[in-house]
Amino acid sequence: MLSKENLLAALNRVEANRGAPGVDGMTTVELRSWLLVHWPGIRAELDAGTYRPAPVRQVIIPKPGGGERMLGVPRVLDRLIQQAIAQVLVPIFDPEFSGSSFGFRPGRSAHQAVRVARRAVEDGHRWVVDLDLDRFFDRVQHDVLMARVARKVADRRVLRLIRRYLEAGIMVDGIKMPSAEGTPQGSPLSPVLSNIMLDDLDRELFRRGHRFVRYADDVRVFVRSERAAHRVLASVTAVVEQRLKLKVNRDKSKVVPARAATLLGFGFYFARGGKVGIRVDPKAVRRLKERLRELTSRRWSIAMPERIGKINRFTAGWMGYFQLADGSHLFRELDKWLHRRMRQIRWKEWKLPRTRRARLRKLGINEQFSREWGNSSKGYWRIAGSGVLQRALPNAYWDDLGLRMLKPTWQRLRSAG
């Protein structure tokens, strides 16, 4: 763990990930120079087994579907040490993890998880057990987790250090709060520890012959009948709560037909010939539109090139993930909606009737329509959808300004992939 090569790789990773400072305020930019002076002392404490991690800084962020998620931000020194530990643990544990586990694992992705889920549905497993682990990262019992780590890690100093990170506590408004259970979500160690903890669940599902997909604490089990799905939900709940000492959220866990199931922002639909297509979850579409409404707000005074740059950066990332969806109809409809939002902005920028008349004429609208619409008192959304403004500000107009639309992006990504 403390080899020069492993520590340097961990340092490079921490610096690349950046992230906010912990309780001591040190940034990732300052870490390397600080280590040149202080690392010998830290190394001696680690060798002696006397090193004490600092508590994590609590950060609360909103969940996409509502509610709040508590993150724990370790100081950058502890992120370095945790990353060094994780880099040693992953090669030990990962090779024996289930092939149906995809979260936070090298060479595995959310897209792979969704494709495996689709294959299960295509094979006739048309009922889905959606298992919700209630506040998984907050409820992990330290003794249960450490017993599983100790199955393959014999070095007592490493085991002691991992437990100290679990028990480091949380700093809330300047007061250190104890952490009797849970693993801080947001630390470099949390992903591999979560997979170690839930590997028993994977093994039990595999032993029973179930088709399933797990991405971190997101679990879906695919079965052939509704009756079997309810039986599986009850039995798996017992495994989670009795063996792993975790809690299943019974209000959110459910049995649903495959066409109503969602996974990692995607859903499924049935096409001709028994094929199963992948669609975008409507919740993800709503979140996309909420963000685009912010970026295309008429009340936000910003130069058009800068606005388009921000929109492009957001939609590029969104499409990079949702390119997995089959069919372009959704993206075509979203493009129409976004074009109309952009036309609203231009119309407001023109402000005065005389400016609007002049702009319309310059863009090829005849005198009569330019006067009629330039003097119109209709609302922005109504005018943005009018035939006149669509002719004055066609799709090609926005293409020339560099606005990248969703459907062409989807087509380009799909052809490249």
Side-chain angles (χ1 to χ4, degrees), residues 11 15 28-38:
L11 177 59
E15 289 176 331
T28 55
V29 175
E30 300 169 312
L31 177 59
R32 189 176 291 254
S33 58
W34 185 91
L35 290 171
L36 291 174
V37 177
H38 298 91

Side-chain angles (χ1 to χ4, degrees), residues 348-366:
K348 183 176 183 182
E349 287 178 346
W350 293 345
K351 292 183 181 178
L352 300 176
R354 65 172 179 271
T355 305
R356 290 170 174 172
R357 293 195 301 269
R359 294 287 187 178
L360 289 172
R361 286 196 300 271
K362 187 174 181 180
L363 291 166
I365 306 302
N366 65 39

Side-chain angles (χ1 to χ4, degrees), residues 34 49 61 102 124 209 219 227 239 243 253-255 290-291 338-339 342 356 360 364 393 403 411:
W34 185 91
I61 62 172
F102 295 90
V219 185
R227 182 178 178 181
V239 170
R243 187 184 304 178
S253 297
K254 55 187 180 292
V255 169
E290 287 171 5
R291 179 57 180 152
L338 179 56
H339 276 133
M342 300 301 289
R356 290 170 174 172
L360 289 172
L393 302 174
L403 182 65
Q411 290 172 324

Side-chain angles (χ1 to χ4, degrees), residues 53-56 167-179:
V56 299
E167 298 174 347
I170 303 171
M171 192 68 75
V172 181
D173 297 327
I175 301 173
K176 180 181 176 180
M177 308 293 290
S179 48

Side-chain angles (χ1 to χ4, degrees), residues 378-394:
K378 292 182 173 66
Y380 290 107
W381 187 248
R382 173 79 179 275
I383 290 179
S386 69
V388 167
L389 210 58
Q390 289 183 56
R391 292 197 303 274
L393 302 174

